[in-house]
Amino acid sequence: MTGKPEGPGNESGVLTKTKSKTQRPPLYKVMLLNDDYTPMEFVVHVLERFFGMSHAQAFDIMLTVHKKGLAVVGVFSFEVAETKVAQVMDFARRHQHPLQCTMEKE
């Protein structure tokens, strides 16, 4: 015997587990913005190349960007969204197009 009585305030050897909920990381919307200079075909190519869209999907999104001024092209974790924006902006600049790609918290 240890000489310690078991009861309130004393360790009884019973472990209690506390469940902590893991929060999902915040997601970010990646958007393309319309301009009057970037060719529609280039926008379709960007959507296919960087967002894995089929030609039909890319064409539909391109039309949405053209008609509404912008469109969400994907929702990603911060790091992935940031990378996609950088890739699209770099690709557009290398091809001398003013295409804008941004991200915002969902």
Side-chain angles (χ1 to χ4, degrees), residues 1-12:
M1 269 185 92
T2 62
K4 290 185 181 179
E6 289 190 335
N10 293 325
E11 295 292 324
S12 63

Side-chain angles (χ1 to χ4, degrees), residues 13-103:
V14 176
L15 297 176
T16 57
K17 288 185 181 178
T18 56
K19 287 188 179 180
S20 63
K21 282 192 174 181
T22 8
Q23 288 186 333
R24 292 179 182 235
L27 295 176
Y28 291 79
K29 297 184 284 190
V30 174
M31 298 169 290
L32 284 183
L33 298 134
N34 189 40
D35 64 72
D36 294 332
Y37 304 102
T38 304
M40 293 179 174
E41 298 80 22
F42 184 79
V43 176
V44 170
H45 178 69
V46 163
L47 292 168
E48 291 171 344
R49 179 173 178 162
F50 296 106
F51 298 94
M53 295 183 185
S54 69
H55 186 76
Q57 288 173 312
F59 189 82
D60 287 345
I61 296 286
M62 177 275 298
L63 284 179
T64 301
V65 171
H66 180 70
K67 292 177 182 175
K68 295 189 176 182
L70 69 96
V72 175
V73 296
V75 179
F76 308 96
S77 68
F78 179 82
E79 292 80 10
V80 173
E82 188 177 49
T83 300
K84 297 252 184 221
V85 168
Q87 287 174 330
V88 170
M89 295 294 288
D90 181 57
F91 190 70
R93 297 301 158 266
R94 281 190 283 125
H95 289 84
Q96 299 177 342
H97 295 301
L99 181 65
Q100 292 292 306
C101 185
T102 63
M103 62 187 262

